Amino acid sequence: MKKSIVKLFGIIAVSASLFTSCSSSNDSTPSSTFVVDANKFEGTIKDGEVILNPATTYKLSGKLLVSSGATLTIPAGTRIEGTGGTASYIAIAQGGKIYVNGTATNPVVMTSGLATKAAGDWGGLVICGKAPINIVSGGATTAQAEVSDLTYGGNIANDNSGSLKYLRIEYSGARYSPTKEFNALSLFGVGSGTTIDYVQLYHGSDDGIEFFGGTVNTSHLVSFGNEDDQFDWTEGWSGTNSYWYGKEAFGLGNRGIEADNYELGFLNTPISNPTITNLTLVGPGSTADPLVYTENDGLKLRRGTKGIFTNVVLSGWATGVNVESDESIAAVVAGTLKATSVNFISDIATKTKGKTTAGTSSNVSAFVTSESSVATGAGNGSAAPDWASGWALFQ
């Protein structure tokens, strides 16, 4: 887990009266001062609504920022291709909104614009909201997202940053420096008024999705082949989630889930405490090369995080569940960090293990309150779920 690099996909701001010269005839900017240039898609949307044209491919050549009070709407079938490396990304500022309106048969695709595509070809999608974070205990503070310097956090738990439906983010997560990298989707203080449903994070160079605090809920997420963790959270995230499918692929990656409360304050409030129902995490196998898979864990839970997991499938990990730090071990004992109905399908060398803050081993078998050989996880055990058919990729 690294603080995501926040990069903004560029849209060019101009007077609406000039809209006809640079934009596709089917783009529209109702009450906006922006013009869209599909071949140089970058800039700042400062006001109004920009609606893209699904018949146009947009070349994301730089950063695109959606400012407070502005809206970016992306219809089903729209394709956005990052061409500017770490300089090309999309960011939604506090008070801005993004509406991705894909469908199961016609998803929105954000991908690499290079001929030979690879993880890290462009930045990713960053959303900053006004929901609580715990960088300062108590949850009332704000912070600056790394790289973008956008403000996130606050005290509006039901803050609304828009909606993501049937979206696939491919080959993103560009490396900016040794300590700063983009995730495919980074959610900074995003509130529960935001909808995230049917989203895939595919072959990114860092995490698939990371939650930095906030209260956003999600469902039907696929994180496939990302090169660090498939799912990640920190800074006091608390959301209700269902149907997550994560899989390592192509000899890269580490954990299915990496979860923290906050690395500099294990008991800072609000404490990370999501619920996840119907979860599948598929690893590289228990004997995968440890020089590549430096932490071969299905779930790594640490630094004070809590969480409730139900109907879980784990397959192909050296360790199914790895709990670290006194605070998270105490949550296991208290029953506030636990999993019910867990199916260890195959090739799990160690089901559970724990380590105290001092580095001594700890028995955390109580984390799994019950095992079930018929638990289905995201829907089909370790296989790709039916609900992902037609819009998600698995290769």
Side-chain angles (χ1 to χ4, degrees), residues 59 79-84 111-117 121-122 171:
K59 300 295 185 178
R79 186 177 180 88
I80 298 172
E81 297 183 349
T83 60
T111 189
S112 166
L114 303 185
T116 302
K117 304 182 191 316
D121 279 351
W122 64 287
Y171 306 109

Side-chain angles (χ1 to χ4, degrees), residues 266 322-326 329 353-362:
F266 293 3
N322 187 353
V323 182
E324 293 186 358
S325 78
D326 296 347
I329 291 170
K353 72 177 182 180
K355 184 171 67 175
T356 68
T357 303
T360 58
S361 62
S362 177

Side-chain angles (χ1 to χ4, degrees), residues 9-221:
F9 292 19
I11 288 180
I12 297 178
V14 195
S15 166
S17 64
L18 301 177
F19 178 66
T20 57
S21 62
C22 296
S23 62
S24 164
S25 61
N26 289 327
D27 292 324
S28 65
T29 55
S31 67
S32 175
T33 58
F34 297 120
V35 167
V36 176
D37 182 347
N39 293 316
K40 191 178 180 183
F41 193 46
E42 62 180 56
T44 301
I45 303 175
K46 297 179 180 178
D47 57 9
E49 180 183 18
V50 171
I51 304 174
L52 301 186
N53 172 18
T56 299
T57 296
Y58 296 86
K59 300 295 185 178
L60 187 67
S61 53
K63 63 180 182 181
L64 174 64
L65 171 64
V66 181
S67 298
S68 179
T71 298
L72 174 64
T73 298
I74 308 177
T78 303
R79 186 177 180 88
I80 298 172
E81 297 183 349
T83 60
T86 59
S88 53
Y89 56 94
I90 296 174
I92 314 302
Q94 285 187 323
K97 287 185 170 59
I98 181 170
Y99 290 95
V100 173
N101 299 324
T103 67
T105 56
N106 211 12
V108 169
V109 178
M110 298 178 181
T111 189
S112 166
L114 303 185
T116 302
K117 304 182 191 316
D121 279 351
W122 64 287
L125 174 59
V126 175
I127 303 176
C128 295
K130 301 178 182 179
I133 60 176
N134 70 2
I135 289 177
V136 174
S137 192
T141 191
T142 60
Q144 306 305 120
E146 290 191 9
V147 181
S148 70
D149 290 326
L150 290 175
T151 298
Y152 70 101
N155 58 9
I156 305 176
N158 65 345
D159 188 43
N160 182 359
S161 296
S163 175
L164 306 180
K165 289 189 174 181
Y166 289 104
L167 168 65
R168 193 168 71 240
I169 303 175
E170 304 174 351
Y171 306 109
S172 61
R175 185 179 180 86
Y176 181 78
S177 76
T179 58
K180 296 180 180 180
E181 297 180 355
F182 280 101
N183 303 305
L185 177 59
S186 300
L187 303 173
F188 287 88
V190 175
S192 61
T194 308
T195 298
I196 299 179
D197 196 13
Y198 297 98
V199 174
Q200 181 176 30
L201 306 318
Y202 183 80
H203 288 305
S205 72
D206 197 50
D207 301 328
I209 182 172
E210 183 163 1
F211 303 83
F212 296 87
T215 54
V216 65
N217 308 312
T218 71
S219 60
H220 302 98
L221 300 186

Side-chain angles (χ1 to χ4, degrees), residues 315-332:
S315 177
W317 299 100
T319 302
V321 180
N322 187 353
V323 182
E324 293 186 358
S325 78
D326 296 347
E327 292 80 1
S328 287
I329 291 170
V332 171

Side-chain angles (χ1 to χ4, degrees), residues 280-352:
T280 292
L281 299 172
V282 181
S286 66
T287 61
D289 185 350
L291 296 179
V292 175
Y293 291 92
T294 56
E295 295 195 49
N296 189 340
D297 301 327
L299 294 94
K300 184 159 191 174
L301 310 169
R302 62 186 188 181
R303 295 172 174 169
T305 191
K306 298 179 181 179
I308 305 298
F309 305 81
T310 305
N311 187 24
V312 178
V313 167
L314 298 174
S315 177
W317 299 100
T319 302
V321 180
N322 187 353
V323 182
E324 293 186 358
S325 78
D326 296 347
E327 292 80 1
S328 287
I329 291 170
V332 171
V333 174
T336 54
L337 179 60
K338 66 180 181 179
T340 302
S341 189
V342 179
N343 188 355
F344 295 97
I345 284 189
S346 64
D347 197 19
I348 304 287
T350 302
K351 289 183 178 180
T352 62

